[in-house]
Amino acid sequence: MSTVELTTANFDEIVPGAEGKDFVLIDFWAAWCGPCRMFGPVFEKASERHPDLVFAKVDTEAQQELAAAFDVQSIPTLAIIREGVLVFAQPGALPEPALEDLIGQARELDMSEVHAKVAKARAEAEAASQA
């Protein structure tokens, strides 16, 4: 599978919420960014090796609102969303072996445990805001 362009218009379709079982890798990039151009082919090759995953690219120049929503401060930034939860976000161009390792680690996450931690953090935040 090749990468898809992610925009504010198609975000909900490509990145379903907590009920979705999708695994989405997002590359935040810009045409003028040298490291982004170096990481692009690495990201594309990974998308071909992992056709069961969704690989999306966000042009931060054209999709400033989406980049801001993810608090992207520098590019390239890679984000991984599983089942509606942001499980990884970090700037920097990764070499191919590091990207493969990261995909493997994200695949191994126990998402029921992740969802439980998210629910607990939300409950604590809500309780703190009411105090």
Side-chain angles (χ1 to χ4, degrees), residues 4-54:
V4 296
E5 181 181 356
L6 186 60
T7 66
T8 53
N10 68 4
F11 185 85
D12 289 338
E13 175 186 329
I14 293 175
V15 184
E19 298 307 310
K21 298 299 179 197
D22 283 0
F23 187 134
V24 184
L25 291 92
I26 306 170
D27 174 21
F28 291 89
W29 69 283
W32 52 262
C33 167
C36 297
R37 290 194 305 271
M38 289 172 41
F39 181 61
V42 172
F43 192 74
E44 192 69 36
K45 280 183 191 174
S47 76
E48 293 166 6
R49 278 193 301 275
H50 300 278
D52 58 319
L53 307 181
V54 176

Side-chain angles (χ1 to χ4, degrees), residues 40-121:
V42 172
F43 192 74
E44 192 69 36
K45 280 183 191 174
S47 76
E48 293 166 6
R49 278 193 301 275
H50 300 278
D52 58 319
L53 307 181
V54 176
F55 285 75
K57 293 182 76 73
V58 174
D59 180 345
T60 57
E61 294 292 303
Q63 297 296 319
Q64 293 178 9
E65 186 179 325
L66 200 49
F70 279 83
D71 196 26
V72 172
Q73 301 291 321
S74 65
I75 52 176
T77 288
L78 178 67
I80 300 177
I81 298 174
R82 282 201 54 200
E83 298 178 20
V85 178
L86 180 66
V87 296
F88 179 86
Q90 182 175 307
L94 295 174
E96 207 168 309
L99 179 58
E100 286 299 317
D101 182 55
L102 181 61
I103 291 169
Q105 289 180 50
R107 282 186 186 276
E108 292 171 7
L109 284 173
D110 178 346
M111 289 309 294
S112 59
E113 185 179 311
V114 171
H115 284 294
K117 287 180 181 178
V118 168
K120 181 180 179 193

